């Protein structure tokens, strides 16, 4: 969160208002604020400014900054921008990445709100039923007599487990796609002038160096260093291989990673849209089944034993 807030502030000062980096950091450092997060950003800006005045580069200062955790890919992007003189373009790219992350998080919160509400209602409702059944009411006293408290807890626990599993699925379906981010960042760095091998290494950090896809990125980087083509180096799926094959044949390798990222992004958006549309009806079915089980197992026996009907 701190890194995203810092990126937004320096982007608006440097890119939007065309203020020098050092002057932008000075403005961020002297800004009066009572917010905890803003105070951290203020201290980080002051630290970076002092490091710049001491002759350090911005990327080196970010690497040693203790107030904000600038990840390795972020530092590498800034370092490469300083070498090539395209810092403003890189800040714009990092800002877009932050906004994309924020958008994904908002979608994730929106998607998880409904199942979380269902779990909360289930826990509160079942706890309330157990509490009421502990009294002397004729209607609920049968729960104690029939030893159904444990069954009620089991059904409520089952509903919570189902909702929790559904939330895990939603997080995977709606959350940020690291493969997309890896190809997108690699593509940006290649277009900015970084060699393919180093750009792929940055993508590997995004997906996780020890993950399955991360190991594939590492293998691809090693194969490219040995002189192999992109299509031969990568073996993730057929569609990606096709795009890399045409890039090898045409010689246009600078934009193929961004095109692959765009294809992955389009599929992600379609999957997210379908997932968001299915969440509400899916949980209506789940809660309906839960209520039907409660009625059949708990309330129908009591109603049949009364003289109300």
């Amino acid at each position: 969160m701190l890194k995203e807030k810092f990126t937004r502030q320096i982007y608006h000062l440097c890119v939007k208002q065309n203020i020098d980096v050092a002057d932008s950091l000075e403005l961020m450092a002297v800004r009066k604020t009572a917010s905890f997060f803003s105070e951290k950003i203020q201290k980080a800006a002051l630290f970076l400014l002092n490091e710049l005045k001491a002759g350090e580069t911005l990327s080196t200062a970010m690497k040693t900054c203790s107030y904000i955790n600038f990840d390795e890919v972020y530092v590498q992007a800034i370092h490469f921008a300083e070498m090539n003189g395209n810092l403003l373009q890189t800040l714009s790219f990092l800002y877009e990445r932050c906004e994309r992350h924020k958008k994904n998080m908002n979608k994730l919160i929106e998607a998880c709100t409904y199942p979380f509400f269902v779990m909360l209602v289930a826990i509160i409702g079942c706890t309330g039923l157990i509490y009421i059944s502990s009294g002397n009411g004729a209607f609920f006293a049968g729960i104690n007599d029939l030893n159904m408290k444990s069954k009620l807890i089991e059904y409520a626990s089952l509903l919570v487990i189902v909702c929790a599993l559904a939330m895990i699925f939603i997080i995977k379906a709606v959350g940020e796609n690291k493969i997309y981010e890896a190809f997108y960042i690699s593509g940006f760095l290649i277009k900015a002038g970084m060699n393919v091998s180093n750009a792929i290494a940055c993508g590997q950090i995004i997906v996780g160096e020890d993950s399955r896809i991360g190991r594939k990125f590492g293998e691809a980087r090693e194969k490219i260093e040995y002189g192999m083509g992109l299509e031969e180096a990568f073996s993730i799926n057929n569609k990606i291989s096709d795009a890399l094959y045409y890039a090898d044949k045409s010689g246009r390798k600078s934009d193929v990673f961004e095109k692959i990222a765009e294809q992955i992004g389009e599929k992600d958006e379609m999957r997210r849209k379908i997932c968001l549309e299915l969440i509400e009806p899916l949980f209506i079915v789940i809660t309906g089944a839960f209520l039907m089980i409660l009625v059949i197992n708990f309330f129908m026996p009591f109603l049949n034993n009364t003289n109300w009907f």
Side-chain angles (χ1 to χ4, degrees):
M1 182 181 290
L2 286 172
K3 184 178 65 179
E4 283 76 10
K5 286 182 177 292
F6 174 89
T7 303
R8 291 188 187 98
Q9 288 187 23
I10 198 167
Y11 165 80
H12 284 291
L13 289 170
C14 291
V15 179
K16 290 295 186 180
Q17 300 183 34
N18 198 26
I19 301 174
D20 180 74
V21 174
D23 292 336
S24 297
L25 290 172
E26 187 172 0
L27 287 172
M28 292 167 65
V30 300
R31 183 179 178 184
K32 300 298 182 182
T33 177
S35 168
F36 169 78
F37 295 112
S38 297
E39 185 180 347
K40 283 280 187 180
I41 293 171
Q42 185 180 15
K43 291 179 178 179
L46 182 59
F47 172 82
L48 295 175
L49 178 62
N50 290 334
E51 290 294 299
L52 288 179
K53 289 179 178 179
E56 295 289 348
T57 62
L58 181 60
S59 57
T60 303
M62 285 179 169
K63 191 181 294 185
T64 58
C65 181
S66 60
Y67 300 103
I68 298 176
N69 181 26
F70 295 102
D71 59 79
E72 188 174 348
V73 174
Y74 196 105
V75 173
Q76 285 288 339
I78 295 295
H79 172 67
F80 194 70
E82 289 175 319
M83 291 175 57
N84 291 273
N86 60 348
L87 183 60
L88 296 183
Q89 182 184 358
T90 300
L91 287 175
S92 298
F93 172 80
L94 293 172
Y95 169 78
E96 290 171 3
R97 184 186 175 201
C98 291
E99 291 301 298
R100 191 165 58 251
H101 178 71
K102 180 182 178 182
K103 183 179 178 181
N104 287 336
M105 285 301 298
N106 289 338
K107 286 184 178 180
L108 190 60
I109 293 171
E110 178 186 351
C112 291
T113 299
Y114 197 88
F116 176 78
F117 178 75
V118 170
M119 285 195 296
L120 187 64
V121 169
I123 294 171
I124 294 175
C126 291
T127 303
L129 283 175
I130 293 171
Y131 175 78
I132 295 172
S133 69
S134 300
N136 297 320
F139 186 75
F140 291 101
I143 295 181
N144 285 327
D145 297 337
L146 298 173
N147 195 25
M148 287 190 174
K149 274 188 180 179
S150 60
K151 286 187 177 182
L152 188 60
I153 294 173
E154 288 176 7
Y155 289 136
S157 300
L158 180 61
L159 178 61
V160 171
I161 291 171
V162 170
C163 291
L165 291 174
M167 285 182 70
I168 293 173
F169 172 78
I170 290 168
I171 290 171
K172 289 185 174 294
V174 180
E176 188 176 59
N177 189 333
K178 290 185 177 181
I179 300 177
Y180 166 82
E181 288 293 332
F183 275 103
Y184 194 75
I185 287 173
S186 298
F188 170 78
L189 293 174
I190 291 169
K191 289 186 74 174
M194 182 180 285
N195 66 65
V196 177
S197 177
N198 290 339
I200 291 174
C202 290
Q204 184 183 7
I205 295 170
I206 294 293
V207 295
E209 295 177 278
D210 296 327
S211 66
R212 182 178 64 86
I213 300 297
R215 288 193 292 270
K216 287 185 178 292
F217 268 75
E219 292 169 3
R221 178 176 57 82
E222 292 175 0
K223 290 177 181 178
I224 288 170
E225 288 176 351
Y226 279 108
M228 293 185 182
L230 292 176
E231 191 268 338
E232 190 178 4
F234 274 94
S235 57
I236 297 178
N237 62 49
N238 293 332
K239 290 186 177 181
I240 289 177
S241 297
D242 289 343
L244 295 174
Y245 169 78
Y246 289 117
D248 282 331
K249 291 298 181 182
S250 64
R252 299 184 62 182
K253 299 180 181 180
S254 61
D255 60 349
V256 65
F257 282 80
E258 284 191 351
K259 288 182 178 179
I260 291 172
E262 288 173 4
Q263 292 176 2
I264 296 172
E266 289 174 0
K267 290 183 179 179
D268 285 346
E269 282 301 314
M270 185 178 297
R271 186 178 67 248
R272 289 188 184 105
K273 185 177 180 180
I274 293 172
C275 182
L276 290 171
E277 289 179 351
L278 287 177
I279 287 173
E280 189 169 345
L282 175 64
F283 276 89
I284 287 174
V285 171
I286 292 174
T287 53
F290 176 70
L291 291 173
M292 185 176 67
I293 291 171
L294 284 182
V295 170
I296 292 173
N297 288 278
F298 295 99
F299 294 101
M300 286 302 294
F302 303 147
L303 294 175
N304 291 334
N305 291 329
T306 64
N307 296 322
W308 293 1
F309 299 97

